[in-house]
Amino acid sequence: MEAQLKHPEELSAQELSLWRSLTHQAEYASPFFHPAYTQSIAKFRNQVEVAVLTEGSQPIGFLPFERHAGKVGRPLGIKLADFQGCISREPIHFEQSGFLKRLNLSQIHFDHLVHAGPLNESILSQSDSPYMDLSHGYQEYLTARRESGNRSLSQVLRKERKMEREVGPITFQWQDMDEHAMHSLFEWKSAQRKATNTADILEFEWVRNFLTYLQQTEQSGMNGALSTLRIHDHVVAVHFGIFTENCLHYWFPTYDYEFHKYSPGLILLLRMAERCAELGISRLDLGKGEDSYKESLASGAISVAEASYDRSSTRKFIRRSLLHAKQWVKQSRFKSALQKPKKLIRQWQNQSTMGAS
């Protein structure tokens, strides 16, 4: 197998056609695997490249990535991509002899890698990324969750009725083009990140510009949707995600905290799921995370991995040692004392990778 490195805009019509056809497979249904996502983010990130994988001069797969510090590969948009990896007919093994060398990389890192295989020295950890199965329709989805013993959906639906009684009639929009709605998302999401002391990727102007571009630009095969829940024309919940004909990714949800007792974010999510089923979108990806609502709503899960492939055995050893140290700190009595330096390190990492454009 050989690899040819290209800018996304240099891909031929044949290559793009093959790439799009590969995304019709269930394992590549996520919008993050669609070539339109790669081409869109390349308008805001100078580091984006695509490795066109070939056999006998014929393309067989594609690996979109960002190049940092010369020979370090990272996922598209760093923390933006919730699914990562090669889009190919057959699984691609990053550890096969000479693979990284053909990409002119010394190392490549992932934190949401699909088809990673069993844990080894390169695959550091694995997690579940839950999804809602809407392939048989929204009502069938609700029935399946209720039959599983889940009561959360009934609680959300009761809160929806209560909010309409106590506050006013609810209006749902699948695609809301009101600029104020997007501004509300940016403002509320950043406030939420600050309150929870977690990284806010919306602090980077290019991220906000990229999301706005996805919302305003109609593309073939992959688009953005800004969905809202309103009462008396007041936005009480908003979500921005991306979707293909088969899959919606739940990406940036937030809500007006004044209405938190009604769970407006979850009401909006269920309205979106209902609309997805009407559009023929069969899967709603919720993204990796241990949030209780994801466990309640999930029909199943896709395994994603944190992985680092490196041509240097020394760096592999150091990375594995750091991982063990990190796990030890999480369980030790020094955890709280180390939170501040950990936060500073995370901020520096974000600035050096997310901030680069």
Side-chain angles (χ1 to χ4, degrees):
M1 180 180 64
E2 297 299 323
Q4 184 178 4
L5 298 174
K6 293 187 175 185
H7 186 274
E9 294 301 324
E10 297 173 342
L11 295 169
S12 69
Q14 177 194 8
E15 290 164 345
L16 287 171
S17 177
L18 172 61
W19 190 339
R20 293 189 193 101
S21 70
L22 292 172
T23 63
H24 294 154
Q25 302 175 41
E27 58 264 44
Y28 301 124
S30 169
F32 291 109
F33 288 132
H34 198 279
Y37 179 81
T38 297
Q39 291 182 315
S40 295
I41 201 168
K43 297 179 184 300
F44 301 87
R45 301 284 281 176
N46 296 326
Q47 311 93 327
V48 175
E49 297 181 22
V50 177
V52 181
L53 310 177
T54 62
E55 280 188 355
S57 76
Q58 294 300 311
I60 60 168
F62 306 88
L63 173 63
F65 66 96
E66 290 188 6
R67 183 180 298 275
H68 289 256
K71 292 194 175 184
V72 178
R74 297 191 183 279
L76 297 184
I78 311 300
K79 293 184 177 297
L80 279 175
D82 285 347
F83 286 96
Q84 303 157 6
C86 285
I87 303 95
S88 57
R89 289 197 178 104
E90 301 292 336
I92 300 298
H93 302 288
F94 291 88
E95 292 177 308
Q96 65 178 290
S97 177
F99 183 72
L100 289 184
K101 187 176 181 180
R102 285 192 284 274
L103 303 184
N104 192 27
L105 293 175
S106 61
Q107 52 191 295
I108 189 167
H109 309 286
F110 302 96
D111 55 11
H112 291 75
L113 178 65
V114 299
H115 309 307
L119 290 173
N120 57 39
E121 65 175 356
S122 297
I123 301 171
L124 308 178
S125 65
Q126 291 180 321
S127 305
D128 283 340
S129 183
Y131 63 85
M132 299 165 68
D133 182 1
L134 304 168
S135 58
H136 299 291
Y138 179 67
Q139 292 302 323
E140 285 294 321
Y141 162 77
L142 292 180
T143 299
R145 298 311 302 143
R146 285 167 177 153
E147 290 178 350
S148 72
N150 186 285
R151 297 182 180 180
S152 298
L153 287 171
S154 297
Q155 293 173 358
V156 175
L157 295 173
R158 280 198 299 271
K159 288 182 178 181
E160 180 178 2
R161 294 190 293 269
K162 182 179 180 181
M163 185 162 68
E164 289 203 287
R165 286 196 309 270
E166 297 180 352
V167 186
I170 293 173
T171 302
F172 164 71
Q173 284 187 265
W174 164 254
Q175 183 64 281
D176 193 327
M177 300 305 295
D178 182 3
E179 290 184 6
H180 174 71
M182 184 64 96
H183 290 318
S184 295
L185 183 147
F186 292 158
E187 180 183 345
W188 294 344
K189 198 67 181 176
S190 291
Q192 177 190 356
R193 292 299 188 186
K194 185 176 181 180
T196 56
N197 197 31
T198 52
D200 177 22
I201 61 177
L202 293 175
E203 70 174 299
F204 300 103
E205 184 179 6
W206 77 263
V207 175
R208 298 193 299 272
N209 292 340
F210 172 54
L211 299 184
T212 302
Y213 172 84
L214 290 177
Q215 187 224 355
Q216 296 178 349
T217 307
E218 186 172 348
Q219 303 184 77
S220 176
M222 191 283 302
N223 283 284
L226 183 70
S227 302
T228 57
L229 206 67
R230 293 174 181 264
I231 296 180
H232 299 310
D233 203 39
H234 174 75
V235 176
V236 297
V238 59
H239 167 266
F240 181 74
I242 47 179
F243 67 98
T244 63
E245 62 181 13
N246 296 316
C247 181
L248 167 72
H249 192 85
Y250 190 62
W251 208 10
F252 287 91
T254 188
Y255 59 89
D256 186 341
Y257 191 75
E258 179 182 347
F259 300 90
H260 74 279
K261 68 177 182 179
Y262 301 109
S263 300
L266 292 179
I267 295 172
L268 175 58
L269 175 54
L270 291 185
R271 290 287 187 104
M272 288 162 48
E274 184 175 21
R275 181 61 175 147
C276 282
E278 293 170 354
L279 293 171
I281 296 173
S282 59
R283 195 177 88 201
L284 198 164
D285 284 328
L286 297 171
K288 184 176 78 171
E290 299 178 353
D291 308 79
S292 59
Y293 77 88
K294 293 184 180 183
E295 182 178 352
S296 299
L297 298 179
S299 308
I302 299 167
S303 179
V304 295
E306 180 182 353
S308 292
Y309 299 92
D310 203 315
R311 291 163 63 182
S312 166
S313 57
T314 301
R315 283 195 300 260
K316 284 183 182 179
F317 173 77
I318 293 173
R319 191 169 292 111
R320 176 65 64 175
S321 300
L322 289 173
L323 176 66
H324 290 322
K326 181 180 177 181
Q327 293 171 339
W328 176 83
V329 167
K330 280 185 177 180
Q331 301 172 359
S332 78
R333 59 191 176 91
F334 302 108
K335 179 180 178 181
S336 58
L338 292 172
Q339 285 304 309
K340 186 172 182 178
K342 178 183 175 182
K343 181 182 178 181
L344 293 174
I345 293 171
R346 188 170 63 237
Q347 288 175 339
W348 174 79
Q349 290 175 330
N350 286 343
Q351 287 292 339
S352 62
T353 54
M354 291 291 292
S357 62

